[in-house]
Amino acid sequence: AQKVTQAQTEISVVEKEDVTLDCVYETRDTTYYLFWYKQPPSGELVFLIRRNSFDEQNEISGRYSWNFQKSTSSFNFTITASQVVDSAVYFCALSEGGANNDMRFGAGTRLTVKP
Amino acid sequence: DTGVSQDPRHKITKRGQNVTFRCDPISEHNRLYWYRQTLGQGPEFLTYFQNEAQLEKSRLLSDRFSAERPKGSFSTLEIQRTEQGDSAMYLCASSLGGRGDTQYFGPGTRLTVL
């Protein structure tokens, strides 16, 4: 069965600090997909990134970067030079891409960036 | 606006009443999903549609819940005889339909059962 663990419930940083959000997953499939979503106070889940299990290349998008390591079943998310607007709950999710394509979400990490 | 929309955004009801929520997916998306999110938790899968066919239901979806997508476009989620435990955010998402494809979420409907 698929499972996603986000061990950090809450993180608080001061603006301009770098912060890493951890995500550990479990799956028996060799083909799977990992996602990160951002949920700001408004409540809408905003898609950030999708990664399939065959692509371990790390990705950088502006201040955001993702580190995917199959050996440790981790898909961590780093925000560089954090800003107040980064304050939100961040969810990591796993899809095994089966017939139904449903996603299993972690419990989320609440990030607060203080000015 | 070409994103996923949901209506209403907020619903307050008394225990025992029926409620219905609507979701309009991104127009070219074949798949539509419903999730439930309670406070402090990640979204939990409820059910999904491929066009008008409902293909999967979670065990979370009790017989008081029913979902439809009559013409493969918008979808409705109805909860009959609401209970206080049904209080949650109900999220709708849509995707193109490929394996592991990205799901795009709507703003959600927050249900409060008094």
Side-chain angles (χ1 to χ4, degrees):
Chain A
Q2 58 195 94
K3 182 180 178 181
V4 176
T5 301
Q6 294 181 256
Q8 304 151 309
T9 305
E10 294 190 30
I11 299 176
S12 181
V13 299
V14 176
E15 206 169 20
K16 298 184 183 177
E17 285 186 24
D18 299 347
V19 58
T20 296
L21 310 182
D22 297 334
C23 173
V24 174
Y25 62 91
E26 294 178 29
T27 177
R28 295 177 182 171
D29 280 10
T30 55
T31 301
Y32 52 90
Y33 304 83
L34 295 163
F35 302 82
W36 276 94
Y37 287 85
K38 174 182 180 180
Q39 189 172 42
S42 61
E44 186 165 349
L45 279 163
V46 177
F47 166 72
L48 296 178
I49 190 170
R50 170 185 181 267
R51 174 69 70 216
N52 74 55
S53 54
F54 298 108
D55 182 3
E56 286 192 74
Q57 190 172 13
N58 292 329
E59 183 158 337
I60 298 174
S61 176
R63 296 184 297 106
Y64 294 172
S65 62
W66 290 269
N67 180 262
F68 176 28
Q69 291 195 339
K70 289 178 73 171
S71 60
T72 55
S73 297
S74 65
F75 186 43
N76 297 337
F77 173 32
T78 297
I79 302 174
T80 303
S82 60
Q83 300 176 0
V84 172
V85 293
D86 295 327
S87 297
V89 181
Y90 290 87
F91 291 98
C92 180
L94 166 69
S95 171
E96 292 176 337
N100 59 3
N101 209 37
D102 67 299
M103 286 195 296
R104 185 66 56 87
F105 284 82
T109 297
R110 179 177 298 278
L111 174 65
T112 302
V113 181
K114 299 178 180 177
Chain B
D1 184 19
T2 57
V4 178
S5 62
Q6 292 187 246
D7 184 71
R9 295 291 305 276
H10 303 274
K11 179 71 176 179
I12 300 173
T13 190
K14 293 183 179 179
R15 189 174 54 185
Q17 297 294 305
N18 298 343
V19 294
T20 299
F21 310 141
R22 176 179 169 126
C23 171
D24 287 87
I26 294 171
S27 59
E28 64 268 27
H29 285 184
N30 296 320
R31 289 189 176 181
L32 186 148
Y33 307 79
W34 285 99
Y35 289 82
R36 183 175 71 184
Q37 185 179 21
T38 54
L39 203 60
Q41 299 297 318
E44 297 172 292
F45 170 77
L46 292 178
T47 188
Y48 103 107
F49 293 83
Q50 174 79 32
N51 299 312
E52 67 274 11
Q54 187 174 16
L55 298 186
E56 184 75 16
K57 295 181 188 180
S58 162
R59 283 173 291 179
L60 293 174
L61 211 67
S62 76
D63 56 6
R64 296 185 296 106
F65 287 69
S66 62
E68 295 183 344
R69 194 183 182 195
K71 296 184 179 179
S73 56
F74 72 92
S75 175
T76 58
L77 177 68
E78 181 184 13
I79 309 174
Q80 295 182 328
R81 305 181 302 283
T82 52
E83 302 173 355
Q84 288 186 327
D86 296 331
S87 294
M89 176 78 88
Y90 289 85
L91 295 164
C92 176
S94 69
S95 71
L96 281 170
R99 181 172 185 170
D101 60 346
T102 299
Q103 296 180 26
Y104 295 91
F105 284 80
T109 295
R110 182 168 295 284
L111 172 67
T112 302
V113 182
L114 302 176

